[in-house]
Amino acid sequence: MSKIFDLELLSTFIAVVETGSFTNAAPRVGRSQSAVSMQMQRLEQALGKQLLVRTPKAVIPNAVGKDLLAYARRLLKLSDEAWTSVTGKSDIGSVRLGVPDDYAASLLPQVLRRFANEYPQIVVDLVCEPSDKLNSAIRENGVDLAIVTRAPDQTIEILRRERLVWVSSPTHMAWEAYPLPVALFENSTARAHVLRALADSDRAYRCTYSSPSLLGLVTIVQTGLSIAALALCSVPDSLRIIGENEGLPVLHDLEIGIIRNPLSDGVAVDRLYETLRRDLSHMGS
């Protein structure tokens, strides 16, 4: 039996573990779901050991798979280093990426971790600002790429849709107060959705807090003094999701898109742009 690892199989194995399914790994490695499944069968057969466990929610590595994962990442990194050393070609540079703080905390950690593993010589400078400021930053050449919530009539490439949900403290019933106490983001699409929903429902309300910060809204809601609306992906475990059962109006989904600065070019920007489009589009699918 050959004792030489197939780097392509290891790359697919890493993609399956990091995305949690054969389906999500497929676009990342440029193969069909069935091809990814066959590759994992080949890898397990070559080793004579099971590496992955299929659970109702995800495909996860077992103990042997976790051991292999560490070696697989090291082997691929060493392969990249050898290629760069011999050919003199490498993906290097820096990218200025703008993103609202709620998306930075909920959507980007895994994506940026994988990007750093794939392109260790590309530096990502993260700029956390609300979407309206990031739109301005693109126009003013302040960032190269921006992940934003699409504003009404804004033409951008949509990567994913996120539910906008009401949240409250798990130990208080602030929604029973009159008028309804609501904490809002400043100058955001989410704010506009909330105000429109409340107006359409004829629900009396008062704005108790306004902030550009996710942390600020979460803090005020945790006190039990207000409710708020957050993207589902950014709701912390410390808050409770509420909705129609509490007499609250339905909220429209948020459309999350990507904008590229037309003045920004280069390999580093290309690589991050491609990665964000690929990974955010399939995350959680």
Side-chain angles (χ1 to χ4, degrees), residues 59-281:
V59 176
I60 61 174
N62 58 18
V64 176
K66 290 178 181 178
D67 287 342
L68 178 61
L69 182 63
Y71 285 112
R73 286 170 171 158
R74 288 165 58 188
L75 286 169
L76 289 177
K77 183 178 180 181
L78 185 60
S79 175
D80 289 342
E81 291 174 356
W83 180 270
T84 299
S85 177
V86 173
T87 65
K89 299 177 181 180
S90 178
D91 294 314
I92 61 175
S94 63
V95 189
R96 299 166 299 171
L97 172 63
V99 62
D101 62 349
D102 50 343
Y103 298 158
S106 58
L107 298 178
L108 286 190
Q110 291 185 6
V111 176
L112 293 183
R113 190 179 304 116
R114 288 195 292 268
F115 184 79
N117 289 333
E118 292 181 30
Y119 305 105
Q121 298 189 66
I122 295 180
V123 176
V124 178
D125 295 322
L126 203 59
V127 178
C128 289
E129 293 284 0
S131 293
D132 61 328
K133 292 188 177 181
L134 293 176
N135 287 322
S136 298
I138 286 285
R139 293 191 295 269
E140 297 165 2
N141 198 29
V143 294
D144 302 304
L145 301 170
I147 303 298
V148 300
T149 304
R150 190 182 78 85
D153 302 323
Q154 184 180 18
T155 302
I156 60 174
E157 179 181 3
I158 302 300
L159 299 180
R160 63 188 295 111
R161 286 173 171 78
E162 283 288 337
R163 283 180 57 202
L164 183 63
V165 297
W166 295 105
V167 293
S168 74
S169 162
T171 58
H172 298 78
M173 294 184 288
W175 65 85
E176 294 186 342
Y178 183 89
L180 181 70
V182 182
L184 297 166
F185 279 116
E186 290 179 359
N187 303 320
S188 70
T189 301
R191 180 190 183 100
H193 284 354
V194 169
L195 295 179
R196 186 182 309 116
L198 290 172
D200 290 344
S201 69
D202 293 325
R203 182 73 181 262
Y205 70 92
R206 60 188 177 91
C207 178
T208 60
Y209 185 82
S210 183
S211 171
S213 163
L214 171 66
L215 179 60
L217 257 65
V218 169
T219 300
I220 197 69
V221 173
Q222 286 174 333
T223 66
L225 298 176
S226 271
I227 65 169
L230 301 178
L232 179 61
C233 65
S234 62
V235 176
D237 293 338
S238 60
L239 297 184
R240 169 189 174 190
I241 295 175
I242 55 177
E244 290 182 89
N245 289 339
E246 289 75 27
L248 298 170
V250 176
L251 299 166
H252 289 293
D253 291 348
L254 300 173
E255 295 178 317
I256 301 175
I258 188 169
I259 309 175
R260 179 166 180 166
N261 185 338
L263 301 178
S264 299
D265 55 16
V267 172
V269 177
D270 290 342
R271 295 291 182 265
L272 184 57
Y273 180 62
E274 294 162 1
T275 297
L276 291 169
R277 293 180 68 228
R278 178 194 66 200
D279 289 7
L280 291 181
S281 295

